[in-house]
């Protein structure tokens, strides 16, 4: 066993169980929080704070088996550093979205279920969760899954927790599949319009190219912008793609800075958002044509081969954005409210309206895991699960 920490019972779990049982008995809400790096997301952040950071550390790490088990309060940066020392990584590139005191934790990474630029090629957070332990809403400490990919016993509850934002349970220990870092990497630059970028990416998807990530953003006018395409894989595959795809290759330092800024939403496109605008996240089919702009919106930023479109628009545009996304078989959600946006008692937070059938499934899950609704009330509106 490498990088192992003694796996003896940690007293914090017992403390948490008692606290959850008390909250359940008194129907007292609890707000589960790690580093607080994603406190901006959600309708209302209510309940007594339950800080997970005291439950930290790597339980076991087997580089040869490509699996690590870690406690939920462990800083994400710490885990990534340990993996990097062995030439391994979290392939889905989870965004930290915080600095200093708002340091992302592994539990928050799973609960948020957010993936970075490599999502379209490497997969999502939930694809790498092998198993986990959690405390449900009545104080029971439950374990699901295991430490291998081919674990098919029972329901796949482990992956259900990814993106549930802590509304179904308090995560304790998590087993994650890791991957070796790719040997070769290169980033290509193209000047093109949004629609040209969509067409180029669609053409490349039909070919055996090691495309790992893409990013298109406007250069300021309505019909011009630039596309970045990152290649990752075997040296021969990357070199072959470079000779085939054209474009201008960026130097590694410039490319790494751009992808990090994209992952952490530190590009000027994100940081210079108007105070009365909100940041909207649209998930649409990758081949969806370029989205129209109005006088109050700017050219979107596009990731994941065209499947993820970031849009800046006032909250009054919620219905129009929902309709636009739904018309192409997608969805829209307000990801980050602008500085001038104030929330009162709204329970939709800009979510795409949920169908009655899906809402019923969500409510049954909530009832099964947290019957008194004590975990993170209001975080996802009326028990919505992302």
């Amino acid at each position: 066993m490498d990088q192992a920490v003694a796996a003896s019972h940690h007293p914090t779990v017992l403390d948490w169980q008692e606290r959850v049982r008390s909250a359940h008995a008194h129907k007292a809400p609890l707000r589960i929080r790690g580093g607080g790096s994603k406190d901006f997301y959600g309708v209302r952040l209510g309940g007594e704070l339950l800080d997970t950071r005291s439950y930290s550390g790597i339980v076991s790490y087997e580089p040869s088996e490509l699996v690590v088990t870690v406690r939920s309060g462990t800083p994400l940066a710490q885990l990534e550093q340990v993996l990097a020392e062995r030439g391994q990584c979290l392939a889905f590139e989870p965004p930290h979205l915080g600095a200093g005191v708002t340091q992302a934790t592994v539990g928050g990474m799973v609960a948020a279920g957010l993936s970075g630029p490599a999502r379209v090629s490497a997969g999502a957070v939930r694809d790498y969760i092998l198993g986990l332990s959690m405390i449900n809403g009545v104080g029971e400490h439950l374990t699901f899954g295991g430490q291998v990919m081919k674990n098919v016993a029972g329901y796949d509850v482990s992956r259900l927790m990814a993106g549930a934002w802590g509304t179904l349970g308090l995560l304790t220990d998590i087993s994650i599949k890791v991957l070796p870092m790719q040997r070769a990497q290169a980033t290509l630059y193209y000047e093109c319009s949004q629609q040209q970028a969509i067409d180029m990416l669609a053409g490349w998807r039909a070919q055996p190219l090691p495309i790992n990530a893409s990013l298109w953003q406007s250069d300021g006018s309505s019909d011009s912008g630039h596309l970045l395409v990152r290649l990752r894989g075997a040296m021969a595959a990357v070199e072959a793609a470079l000779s085939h795809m054209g474009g201008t290759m960026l130097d590694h330092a410039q490319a790494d800075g751009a992808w990090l800024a994209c992952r952490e939403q530190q590009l000027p496109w994100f940081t210079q958002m108007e105070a009365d605008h909100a940041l909207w996240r649209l998930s649409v089919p990758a081949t969806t044509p370029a989205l129209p702009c109005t006088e109050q919106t700017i050219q979107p930023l596009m990731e994941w081969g065209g499947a993820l479109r970031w849009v800046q628009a006032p909250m009054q545009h919620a219905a129009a954005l929902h309709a636009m996304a739904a018309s192409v078989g997608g969805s829209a959600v307000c990801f980050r409210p602008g500085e001038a946006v104030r929330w009162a008692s709204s329970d939709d937070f800009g979510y795409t309206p949920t169908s009655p059938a899906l809402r019923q499934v969500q409510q049954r899950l909530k009832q099964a895991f947290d019957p008194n609704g004590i975990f993170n009330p209001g975080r996802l509106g009326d028990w919505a699960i992302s």
Side-chain angles (χ1 to χ4, degrees):
M1 182 178 296
D2 187 75
Q3 294 288 347
V5 176
S8 59
H9 188 81
H10 197 287
T12 303
V13 172
L14 290 177
D15 295 340
W16 283 352
Q17 285 185 268
E18 288 302 315
R19 188 169 176 186
V20 170
R21 288 169 184 154
S22 175
H24 171 74
H26 296 90
K27 297 185 178 180
L30 292 174
R31 175 187 165 195
I32 303 172
R33 185 181 189 268
S37 60
K38 300 165 187 69
D39 278 354
F40 62 83
Y41 189 94
V43 181
R44 297 182 305 275
L45 301 179
E48 183 182 353
L49 184 64
L50 195 162
D51 194 319
T52 65
R53 290 174 294 179
S54 62
Y55 191 65
S56 175
I58 295 175
V59 178
S60 65
Y61 177 28
E62 298 287 353
S64 62
E65 299 296 329
L66 300 177
V67 59
V68 62
T69 299
V70 62
R71 292 172 176 149
S72 60
T74 306
L76 177 55
Q78 176 185 329
L79 173 60
E80 290 177 327
Q81 180 180 351
V82 170
L83 296 177
E85 290 171 356
R86 300 305 299 264
Q88 297 182 343
C89 66
L90 300 173
F92 50 90
E93 293 186 300
H96 293 227
L97 301 179
V101 295
T102 58
Q103 188 176 38
T105 62
V106 175
M109 173 195 79
V110 175
L114 301 175
S115 305
R119 162 69 174 87
V120 71
S121 61
V125 178
R126 59 171 49 89
D127 299 321
Y128 291 82
I129 305 303
L130 302 177
L132 56 77
S133 298
M134 58 168 286
I135 298 172
N136 66 8
V138 296
E140 297 172 326
H141 195 210
L142 308 175
T143 299
F144 301 95
Q147 294 185 323
V148 295
M149 289 298 292
K150 294 184 178 180
N151 191 309
V152 294
Y155 295 106
D156 199 353
V157 174
S158 302
R159 297 187 181 189
L160 177 64
M161 295 299 140
W165 290 91
T167 59
L168 297 179
L170 171 58
L171 303 180
T172 55
D173 297 274
I174 306 157
S175 294
I176 307 169
K177 178 184 177 182
V178 300
L179 291 180
M181 293 179 178
Q182 296 290 353
R183 293 177 177 268
Q185 175 175 305
T187 295
L188 295 173
Y189 172 95
Y190 306 85
E191 293 185 355
C192 58
S193 67
Q194 182 185 176
Q195 187 58 54
Q196 288 172 331
I198 293 169
D199 294 340
M200 292 163 65
L201 291 165
W204 289 328
R205 274 195 298 276
Q207 305 174 48
L209 298 169
I211 295 178
N212 173 260
S214 65
L215 165 68
W216 181 89
Q217 56 182 322
S218 171
D219 287 337
S221 66
S222 60
D223 196 37
S224 69
H226 65 269
L227 171 69
L228 299 183
V229 178
R230 185 171 64 191
L231 307 173
R232 274 183 179 171
M235 183 69 71
V238 171
E239 290 179 348
L242 288 173
S243 64
H244 171 72
M245 295 174 62
T248 302
M249 188 167 69
L250 300 183
D251 67 71
H252 289 299
Q254 183 181 8
D256 289 347
W259 291 114
L260 178 61
C262 175
R263 188 192 79 181
E264 299 303 321
Q265 296 188 353
Q266 291 300 313
L267 293 169
W269 189 94
F270 290 105
T271 61
Q272 297 174 7
M273 186 171 71
E274 295 291 335
D276 62 344
H277 279 46
L279 178 63
W280 295 81
R281 185 178 188 268
L282 274 62
S283 297
V284 298
T287 55
T288 300
L291 299 177
C293 293
T294 68
E295 293 181 358
Q296 290 185 290
T297 62
I298 66 173
Q299 285 285 346
L301 183 143
M302 184 172 66
E303 293 188 70
W304 299 0
L308 176 61
R309 315 281 175 98
W310 295 103
V311 174
Q312 297 178 20
M315 285 304 301
Q316 303 91 288
H317 288 217
L321 289 169
H322 290 156
M324 180 168 59
S327 70
V328 297
S331 61
V333 64
C334 175
F335 187 79
R336 189 192 298 264
E339 295 180 5
V341 177
R342 295 290 180 267
W343 296 97
S345 59
S346 172
D347 280 342
D348 61 14
F349 194 63
Y351 294 117
T352 296
T354 305
S355 69
L358 180 56
R359 178 54 60 89
Q360 188 176 54
V361 171
Q362 292 171 343
Q363 291 179 338
R364 286 180 175 177
L365 283 169
K366 183 67 172 177
Q367 179 64 29
F369 284 96
D370 181 18
N372 280 347
I374 63 171
F375 289 136
N376 288 0
R379 185 82 195 230
L380 293 176
D382 188 13
W383 295 348
I385 300 171
S386 65

